[in-house]
Amino acid sequence: MPTNHDVIVIGNGALGSSIAFELARRGTNVARVGGSARRHAASTAAGAMLGCFGEVTEPLMSTEHGRSKLSLDHQARGLWAEWLRALSEYSGDESELITADGTFVFLNSVGTAAIDTTNFAVIEAALNQYDEPYELVDAESIDWMRPNELFRPLRALYMPQEHAINTARLFTKLDAALLKAGGAIVEDHVTSLVVEGDSVTGVVLANGQTLSAGQVIVAAGAQSVELLSDLEDVHRKIPPMVSGYGVSALVRTKDRSLPRSVLRTPNRALACGLHCVPRGDGVLYLGATNIISDAPRNHADLKDLKFLVDCSIDQLHTDLEEAALVDVQVGNRPIPADGYPLFGATGVAGLWMASGTYRDGLHQSPLLAREMADMLENGLGQTAELRAFEPVRAPLAPGTREQVVASAVSHMVATGYERKWNITGEWPAIIEESLARKYLDTADALDEEFTPPAEFLVTMSDHKWAALRRYYAAWR
């Protein structure tokens, strides 16, 4: 195996694999490092919904950088048709990747008005803002869906341009396309970077071998920031990363029936919305939980799987209780401490980052692959919104402190309703007041100016506390 390359891409999830392929088809001598099993990467456990509006939330639309993320999603969706053609051409594999015909977003009474109803309204407003085709539909007429009567949908809309793809087939095509375009796949993982003077010149593999390159791109998901730990001056100024540990399931319905489209709720408390995605041959993807973890997780907790399955049976189709469990998948979404992507040059010669995309990495992969290739070739990409997300940056505000605390309280209370708590009328206000004091005290003690996203406030640990304090201190 050659040990010298123009570019090494660390990571073989959807984003790393797409960047490597894009570089290879432009004639770059590129090697992608990562085991083919891709166990526990975010994209392997994802529903792979090619949509942007179904993920829209009120907090996203309330900040400039959040609106920039939506713009990136919208631009990325426009690239998928050409991207799929290129993958088929280079891989020689003409198999269909799209598995769903549009997306239904339905609103039921499981969550709370402050989150679910608000997010449903924000989705519709964003669709109108972008002049996006959609239609309001009779919620009870949605194909295939048959929930428990206590959880029936109240409102629904259909988005004909938001589809989904089969992730297993996507990775098969990405691997084949990379190899046929002249790229190399290294079946190992990187333990450290090779630093010579003020430059990164390669990587060290777990087997002890060193690979050299003029440019190194870190696209290793939730573990990306830790790979830069030996570069102290840079490492302390990059938002620390945590893992959004999630559980999804593949089931085969008893009668092999499937919906034609993606069915999903708006995004919910501290998590994705409940959703199902048809995969063919009676197999249905059910997703997904989202739990903030200090480090990537390798296995699913039974309580998280149980919660997902119970929600699916109650809210999607009662006959799912007779479905066969085909597989349980665990993914680790990369979440930076300010909630925004880490993309572009690091300020260290030869070192680039492409991570921190949270739920958007697979969907944005064609756009980010193009942008990274342009940056390496020309020093500048085509998409202005990405410039705010350079890895070495001061914290980007997810809102005012008061807004973040209010959001944290709202989301925590909503998790109780999702889990069917039953409390008397005066208790929600008492709980909310107590949580507000707790989260405000936490934010005030953490830093006088910078406030982390709500997900960090409600899951604060000694590890997160120390990492945030170091990061904030670096920007004083």
Side-chain angles (χ1 to χ4, degrees), residues 88-417:
S88 294
E89 176 188 346
Y90 276 86
S91 68
D93 180 354
E94 296 290 337
S95 62
E96 181 61 65
L97 289 183
I98 293 179
T99 66
D101 179 20
T103 295
F104 287 93
V105 178
F106 62 90
L107 173 67
N108 60 21
S109 61
V110 173
T112 64
I115 297 176
D116 291 55
T117 305
T118 296
N119 284 343
F120 188 91
V122 171
I123 289 170
E124 188 173 2
L127 288 163
N128 287 321
Q129 178 185 335
Y130 277 79
D131 197 24
E132 183 78 7
Y134 77 97
E135 59 179 309
L136 295 172
V137 298
D138 178 1
E140 295 190 0
S141 69
I142 298 175
D143 171 56
W144 182 84
M145 190 170 170
R146 197 177 74 196
N148 183 311
E149 287 292 334
L150 295 175
F151 304 98
R152 62 188 183 277
L154 309 173
R155 299 186 64 200
L157 58 82
Y158 175 67
M159 299 178 291
Q161 295 186 10
E162 304 228 329
H163 308 300
I165 60 172
N166 186 304
T167 49
R169 292 179 195 163
L170 173 66
F171 283 122
T172 297
K173 284 196 178 189
L174 279 167
D175 290 350
L178 172 59
L179 292 173
K180 291 186 179 181
I185 295 176
V186 180
E187 292 277 348
D188 207 331
H189 68 273
V190 171
T191 57
S192 61
L193 305 174
V194 177
V195 182
E196 296 183 4
D198 296 328
S199 302
V200 169
T201 60
V203 301
V204 179
L205 304 179
N207 66 11
Q209 185 178 17
T210 296
L211 302 181
S212 300
Q215 309 289 336
V216 174
I217 303 169
V218 179
Q223 297 174 311
S224 295
V225 175
E226 281 308 300
L227 283 172
L228 277 64
S229 59
D230 290 338
L231 300 165
E232 176 57 27
D233 287 345
V234 172
H235 183 257
R236 65 191 181 91
K237 291 187 175 183
I238 294 177
M241 190 104 73
V242 297
S243 168
Y245 146 74
V247 177
S248 60
L250 294 178
V251 302
R252 179 169 280 110
T253 61
K254 185 176 181 180
D255 61 1
R256 301 295 180 99
S257 68
L258 295 172
R260 291 192 301 269
S261 307
V262 173
L263 309 180
R264 64 163 300 150
T265 69
N267 278 354
R268 284 182 167 163
L270 302 172
C272 316
L274 174 68
H275 53 276
C276 68
V277 181
R279 288 284 176 87
D281 191 28
V283 174
L284 187 67
Y285 171 98
L286 304 175
T289 63
N290 185 56
I291 298 170
I292 304 301
S293 175
D294 290 348
R297 302 273 296 273
N298 294 325
H299 303 286
D301 288 348
L302 283 179
K303 65 177 175 22
D304 299 324
L305 178 61
K306 180 179 183 299
F307 177 66
L308 172 64
V309 170
D310 286 345
C311 288
S312 299
I313 293 170
D314 283 340
Q315 300 175 52
L316 295 173
H317 202 303
T318 54
D319 284 354
L320 285 174
E321 63 184 2
E322 297 184 280
L325 182 60
V326 176
D327 195 14
V328 176
Q329 303 173 126
V330 174
N332 292 280
R333 306 174 184 91
I335 310 176
D338 58 8
Y340 298 107
L342 307 174
F343 192 85
T346 64
V348 176
L351 183 62
W352 305 76
M353 287 194 76
S355 188
T357 47
Y358 203 169
R359 302 184 182 102
D360 302 319
L362 189 147
H363 173 70
Q364 291 182 2
S365 56
L367 173 70
L368 298 183
R370 183 195 74 189
E371 290 299 296
M372 183 60 71
D374 284 351
M375 288 178 180
L376 264 65
E377 289 181 353
N378 310 314
L380 188 66
Q382 303 176 39
T383 306
E385 291 91 337
L386 280 170
R387 293 168 197 163
F389 301 137
E390 292 180 349
V392 179
R393 64 169 185 250
L396 301 177
T400 67
R401 179 157 297 179
E402 292 72 20
Q403 288 172 330
V404 173
V405 168
S407 179
V409 172
S410 178
H411 280 249
M412 278 303 291
V413 171
T415 62
Y417 288 107

